[in-house]
Amino acid sequence: MLLRKVIFLFLLVFIISVFAQRKKRDTVYIYEKVIVYDTIYLEKAVRLKPGNLMFSSLEIQEKEIKNIQQNTNKEELEELVKKNSNNKFQFGIQAGIGFKKASWAENLSDKNLQFGQNLGIWISKSIINPNFHLMLSASISRWNSTFDLDANKEETYLDGFYFSEDDQPLLFQRFNNKHFEYVLQLKAVYEWRNFRPFVGFLANKNVYKMQFLVPENNVLNKLDDFKSNQINFGFSFGLQYRVFKRFLVEAEYQHYKIRNLSLKNSSFDFDIFKTNNTFVERKISLGISYFISK
């Protein structure tokens, strides 16, 4: 019995000693140290000594707008600013097309309407009321021919001899109504929203040319041009419509009388229409204008 206890005790000590000598697995933690480098810029004020610099004084042009109510909306305010900006001069260019009817040419051609193109400039300024403008324009028109009279090719209404004031004989050669026209016009324009009705007073000059065979050394052997150069007066009216703020489209009617229509050159005074010396010309034109000024 004692021997069993001794053997058991011996085995227990041996087993404990065996397990006590076994190595245990440990957990190892690895830490990584990260170092970040960055560049820092420092701003430092630098003192500069002022030189002898000369600056002109700044002037701000201002326009006082009075009587603005607190409940004024954006559209009304824009309209008020627009009216005040209209007090300065405005200028632009214009171009268009039109048709002319002249009473003196009715017996010479079956075509009653003469087609043409025009180009001009204008300047305007509001007076009395921001919506009321005076506009001064100058334009040049080129009118195409509706007939061609050539005495060398066929018989015409104007064939034959004519005589100048000093009784020099002139033999008709050719004539057509292709010509240039110069117009100076003053308009009174009233602007309501985008509509701009107007009436105007105009002065124009038509440059017609007629060719005659004239005497040279008492012999009819020289071709010479005779031109009209008188100033005519008339009136106009029409309607403009503003689009895209800087453009105007326009329809216009012009009416004027031609008195004392005569053809002249440097050597002769000649009046072929002396039997009926008052004529009427009428024009209808469509055009577009562009505001150059802001």
Side-chain angles (χ1 to χ4, degrees):
M1 191 66 179
L2 180 60
L3 181 58
R4 289 182 179 178
K5 291 181 180 181
V6 173
I7 294 173
F8 177 75
L9 182 61
F10 178 77
L11 290 175
L12 183 60
V13 173
F14 177 77
I15 291 172
I16 292 174
S17 63
V18 170
F19 281 99
Q21 292 179 1
R22 293 183 62 182
K23 295 181 180 180
K24 296 183 178 180
R25 182 177 297 174
D26 296 331
T27 301
V28 179
Y29 296 92
I30 299 175
Y31 297 92
E32 180 179 0
K33 185 177 182 181
V34 179
I35 301 176
V36 179
Y37 296 93
D38 198 359
T39 303
I40 300 176
Y41 296 93
L42 298 178
E43 294 183 0
K44 183 178 181 181
V46 179
R47 294 184 178 181
L48 298 177
K49 294 182 179 181
N52 296 326
L53 301 179
M54 300 296 294
F55 295 95
S56 59
S57 58
L58 298 178
E59 297 181 358
I60 301 177
Q61 296 183 354
E62 59 181 8
K63 180 71 177 181
E64 182 180 1
I65 301 176
K66 299 180 180 180
N67 300 327
I68 298 180
Q69 301 178 359
Q70 294 182 355
N71 59 351
T72 302
N73 58 29
K74 182 179 178 181
E75 294 181 357
E76 292 176 351
L77 185 58
E78 290 179 351
E79 185 69 19
L80 187 59
V81 173
K82 177 182 176 182
K83 289 180 179 179
N84 282 273
S85 64
N86 287 338
N87 289 330
K88 61 183 181 180
F89 281 98
Q90 295 179 328
F91 55 93
I93 57 176
Q94 63 182 25
I97 59 173
F99 293 92
K100 174 193 283 193
K101 183 177 181 180
S103 61
W104 65 265
E106 291 178 353
N107 295 328
L108 300 178
S109 174
D110 295 333
K111 298 179 181 180
N112 293 327
L113 295 180
Q114 189 175 7
F115 178 76
Q117 311 87 28
N118 66 81
L119 184 66
I121 58 175
W122 56 265
I123 184 171
S124 71
K125 189 180 188 304
S126 63
I127 60 171
I128 304 174
N129 187 289
N131 291 332
F132 184 75
H133 305 263
L134 283 181
M135 176 182 290
L136 181 64
S137 63
S139 63
I140 179 173
S141 300
R142 180 185 180 275
W143 297 97
N144 299 331
S145 176
T146 58
F147 60 85
D148 188 7
L149 305 180
D150 192 340
N152 297 314
K153 296 180 179 180
E154 58 184 0
E155 293 184 0
T156 70
Y157 295 98
L158 302 178
D159 287 356
F161 285 92
Y162 300 84
F163 294 89
S164 64
E165 292 184 355
D166 55 355
D167 295 330
Q168 297 189 65
L170 308 173
L171 181 61
F172 173 78
Q173 295 296 293
R174 58 181 58 90
F175 173 63
N176 62 53
N177 62 342
K178 179 175 66 176
H179 67 284
F180 285 96
E181 178 185 6
Y182 304 92
V183 178
L184 184 65
Q185 184 172 192
L186 180 64
K187 298 178 182 178
V189 185
Y190 185 80
E191 184 169 4
W192 178 76
R193 298 184 182 273
N194 291 328
F195 293 94
R196 295 162 57 100
F198 66 87
V199 294
F201 171 81
L202 60 88
N204 90 313
K205 178 181 178 181
N206 290 312
V207 183
Y208 294 101
K209 294 182 180 180
M210 186 176 291
Q211 192 174 69
F212 286 86
L213 197 63
V214 301
E216 185 178 35
N217 297 324
N218 296 324
V219 178
L220 287 175
N221 59 2
K222 179 183 177 182
L223 288 174
D224 209 346
D225 289 332
F226 291 73
K227 300 178 182 179
S228 60
N229 58 4
Q230 67 268 24
I231 304 298
N232 311 300
F233 298 97
F235 66 89
S236 66
F237 60 85
L239 178 65
Q240 297 175 339
Y241 184 78
R242 185 190 293 266
V243 292
F244 304 120
K245 295 184 179 180
R246 298 180 69 86
F247 288 90
L248 293 173
V249 293
E250 175 181 306
E252 182 179 14
Y253 171 80
Q254 295 183 1
H255 179 107
Y256 48 88
K257 291 185 178 181
I258 302 177
R259 292 184 174 90
N260 301 320
L261 180 60
S262 60
L263 303 173
K264 300 178 184 294
N265 67 8
S266 58
S267 302
F268 304 91
D269 287 332
F270 180 59
D271 192 348
I272 192 175
F273 299 112
K274 60 183 179 181
T275 57
N276 183 8
N277 223 8
T278 299
F279 305 98
V280 176
E281 288 195 355
R282 303 175 179 89
K283 283 195 306 182
I284 296 177
S285 61
L286 298 174
I288 184 169
S289 296
Y290 175 74
F291 284 84
I292 297 177
S293 58
K294 295 183 179 180

